[in-house]
Amino acid sequence: VRIVFNGQELANTNRPRFLFETSLRRRTYIPVVDCRMDLLTPSKLTTQCPYKVGISYTRMTLNVDGS
């Protein structure tokens, strides 16, 4: 799985985890070590569910021009 925005690679992994939930689109999770962590900042949002237990989120900040 490779994620690119405006020609800038944000994540690249050969070991994604897929989550299949009834009546929802497939979710793809990428290991942290395969993400550009320098572009991520922690979010205050946290959630819980039977599949994911406790999850914290991050927010990616990009300039539209790719810089």
Side-chain angles (χ1 to χ4, degrees):
V1 174
R2 185 171 182 242
I3 300 172
V4 177
F5 178 79
N6 260 7
Q8 184 176 16
E9 185 173 82
L10 310 177
N12 191 343
T13 188
N14 61 0
R15 53 188 173 185
R17 294 203 176 184
F18 300 111
L19 176 61
F20 299 91
E21 296 181 84
T22 306
S23 65
L24 293 175
R25 292 173 43 177
R26 180 191 75 193
R27 304 284 190 249
T28 303
Y29 291 90
I30 297 174
V32 171
V33 296
D34 295 333
C35 297
R36 290 276 315 271
M37 296 306 293
D38 58 312
L39 301 174
L40 297 175
T41 54
S43 169
K44 293 180 181 179
L45 177 65
T46 60
T47 60
Q48 290 191 17
C49 82
Y51 295 109
K52 298 175 252 178
V53 188
I55 297 295
S56 59
Y57 296 86
T58 56
R59 182 175 296 204
M60 186 164 282
T61 305
L62 299 171
N63 292 327
V64 177
D65 66 3
S67 62

